[in-house]
Amino acid sequence: MEGVWVFLLAFLTCGYFALAGFDYGVGVVLRLVGRDERSRREVLRAVTPFFLGNEVWLVAAVGVLFGAFPRLEGELLSSQHTVFVVLLAGLVCFTVAVQLRSPGWDFLLVGGALVVVVGWGVLLGRVLGGPVWLWGAGMPVLFSLHGAVFLAWRLSGGLRERAVRIAGLLVLPSLVFVVAAVVTAGSVPVPAFGVTGVVAVGLLGGVWATLRSRRHLVAFCCSAAVCALPVLGVFGARSVVTVSVMADVPTLRVLTWAAVVVVPLVLVFQWATWRMSRAAR
């Protein structure tokens, strides 16, 4: 049962990074893709149908963390208190700016998205034992690539071409970040993280190749997978600790019944969001 809950937490967190990651990436590159107010509104219209559905993954992951991993949650909050406060502030600013967006809100929208992705990078760097500055700079590049690829898929005309160019420019810095992260990671067994790095490099190559061949949906799937890979590194680094800080078995049994209901609802909500958006496109 412990393994099931570790898998569930990893699954929900990977889903959050893969899906909400392009929300933040679009926020970071908003003013690069959209050069005027009309085009910025078009950029935001491409992402807003998915926005709330993507954030559900974070809510579900936090619920699992608090319920099934109470001692891990306490350990993380106590040791990374400042990072979580900054992350929460950035998330609130970004969410509010997206919902109430006007030209005057762009500063909060772009700034909030940047704070969130830098915050996740710093947290990952601390957990994985790599240089914090590297992760704090690398994750915004990776998420921005993901956001630009998403826009290349969902937009058309000149905005699509601009998004493709921006994504193409971000592939090489993302590749440099991945290689540097693998070399400098201190908390993950080298072979395991090395395999993850090789997969990430292959996926980034897939992003570059599929963008050139205009297979934008495939490129988006590749960039989503790259954004989720650091989560697997975290669980590789903390696999022993996570099991040791879980709730007791009777509590997990009670929570399992809730998970049987909640997890399918998350998946159905996400499926419905994407299906309705596809129909409206």
Side-chain angles (χ1 to χ4, degrees):
M1 183 170 290
E2 289 87 350
V4 171
W5 280 93
V6 171
F7 171 81
L8 182 58
L9 181 60
F11 171 71
L12 292 171
T13 311
C14 283
Y16 168 67
F17 270 64
L19 296 173
F22 73 75
D23 291 343
Y24 308 133
V26 169
V28 174
V29 302
L30 172 65
R31 295 182 69 89
L32 298 177
V33 178
R35 301 290 178 82
D36 53 36
E37 180 58 20
R38 183 195 62 79
S39 60
R40 287 174 197 142
R41 288 186 180 277
E42 191 170 345
V43 168
L44 288 177
R45 276 197 298 268
V47 73
T48 46
F50 308 99
F51 182 72
L52 293 178
N54 294 340
E55 297 300 320
V56 168
W57 290 84
L58 177 60
V59 175
V62 170
V64 170
L65 180 64
F66 274 74
F69 299 85
R71 288 180 287 277
L72 175 60
E73 167 263 322
E75 177 186 318
L76 283 174
L77 286 180
S78 61
S79 62
Q80 309 295 340
H81 176 75
T82 302
V83 177
F84 278 111
V85 170
V86 174
L87 255 173
L88 181 60
L91 188 57
V92 169
C93 290
F94 177 69
T95 303
V96 170
V98 169
Q99 299 294 328
L100 304 177
R101 197 263 170 186
S102 67
W105 288 87
D106 280 0
F107 174 77
L108 279 180
L109 196 155
V110 177
L114 193 57
V115 167
V116 172
V117 294
V118 170
W120 282 120
V122 169
L123 183 62
L124 287 169
R126 289 183 175 179
V127 171
L128 294 171
V132 171
W133 64 266
L134 174 65
W135 284 88
M139 287 304 291
V141 174
L142 204 58
F143 277 51
S144 296
L145 170 65
H146 191 27
V149 171
F150 171 80
L151 292 176
W153 171 40
R154 299 295 299 183
L155 296 176
S156 59
L159 288 178
R160 166 177 282 176
E161 296 305 318
R162 193 176 298 155
V164 169
R165 287 196 299 271
I166 291 172
L169 291 173
L170 290 172
V171 169
L172 181 58
S174 298
L175 184 62
V176 171
F177 163 59
V178 167
V179 173
V182 170
V183 171
T184 59
S187 300
V188 186
V190 174
F193 207 49
V195 171
T196 303
V198 170
V199 173
V201 169
L203 289 169
L204 287 171
V207 170
W208 181 81
T210 50
L211 283 175
R212 287 177 61 87
S213 61
R214 297 187 175 275
R215 291 180 291 167
H216 302 116
L217 176 56
V218 178
F220 171 74
C221 293
C222 290
S223 63
V226 174
C227 288
L229 282 176
V231 176
L232 301 181
V234 170
F235 279 85
R238 303 182 65 87
S239 57
V240 176
V241 178
T242 49
V243 173
S244 68
V245 295
M246 294 181 71
D248 53 46
V249 173
T251 301
L252 293 179
R253 286 175 180 161
V254 173
L255 291 173
T256 299
W257 289 105
V260 168
V261 176
V262 172
V263 174
L265 286 177
V266 171
L267 297 176
V268 168
F269 183 55
Q270 189 72 66
W271 171 82
T273 301
W274 283 80
R275 184 169 181 81
M276 287 187 294
S277 177
R278 184 182 66 177
R281 191 180 175 201

